[in-house]
Amino acid sequence: MSDCVFCMIAEKKIKAEILAETEKVMVIKDINPQSPTHLLIIPKKHYRTLMDCEDNELLSELLQTARKMARELGLGDRGFRIVINTNEEGGQTVFHLHMHFMAGRPLLGRMG
Ligand code: 5GP
Ligand code: ZN
């Protein structure tokens, strides 16, 4: 989608710090981090929200990517939080499916 910021990042039309990338998924640093480690795990294909994605293999790849990043960053034992904000009341602001990966400080309560 031409007016979608994550599509533009996937197409390399705008810059982001890309930490990992596969054929279908990319991992970038959040531009406005809420924790010392705050990554976004994003399918390259545009799905507006989690509710619009029926591709269970892709959803599984998002979780596998979270585990891979946790291992690589040495955060698996320490801990991390993954969040998929969905639609307005879920706090979603960018309407291209993405998973937050947050770590590096104690995350207490709802969003820490
Ligand atoms: P949401 O609120 O939709 O769950 O999360 C959107 C996230 O995307 C926010 O944490 C916000 O900081 C991040 N974000 C928005 N625009 C950009 C951008 O252009 N680049 C990067 N790296 N992150 C962005
Ligand atoms: Zn998009």
Side-chain angles (χ1 to χ4, degrees):
M1 267 182 57
S2 58
D3 60 344
C4 168
V5 65
F6 291 166
C7 282
M8 286 192 274
I9 289 172
E11 291 160 14
K12 309 276 161 42
K13 287 181 180 155
I14 62 172
K15 281 200 175 185
E17 269 194 75
I18 300 176
L19 270 66
E21 194 173 4
T22 66
E23 189 195 339
K24 292 185 177 169
V25 172
M26 62 182 177
V27 182
I28 66 170
K29 284 194 185 178
D30 196 294
I31 205 167
N32 181 24
Q34 303 300 307
S35 52
T37 299
H38 188 169
L39 312 179
L40 299 173
I41 300 172
I42 309 175
K44 291 182 178 174
K45 188 171 172 189
H46 183 90
Y47 296 97
R48 190 174 176 277
T49 78
L50 177 62
M51 300 308 292
D52 302 297
C53 180
E54 304 281 348
D55 185 343
N56 291 332
E57 233 173 78
L58 178 66
L59 294 174
S60 168
E61 189 178 338
L62 299 183
L63 285 172
Q64 289 173 54
T65 303
R67 208 161 46 197
K68 182 169 172 282
M69 295 312 298
R71 267 194 215 108
E72 281 181 18
L73 298 169
L75 291 163
D77 290 336
R78 216 176 133 188
F80 59 90
R81 177 174 293 179
I82 55 179
V83 169
I84 302 179
N85 295 326
T86 303
N87 276 323
E88 280 80 2
E89 286 192 12
Q92 187 171 3
T93 59
V94 175
F95 285 85
H96 175 133
L97 172 62
H98 57 281
M99 189 161 81
H100 294 260
F101 177 106
M102 286 171 286
R105 67 172 172 86
L107 295 161
L108 307 168
R110 264 179 71 232
M111 286 293 285

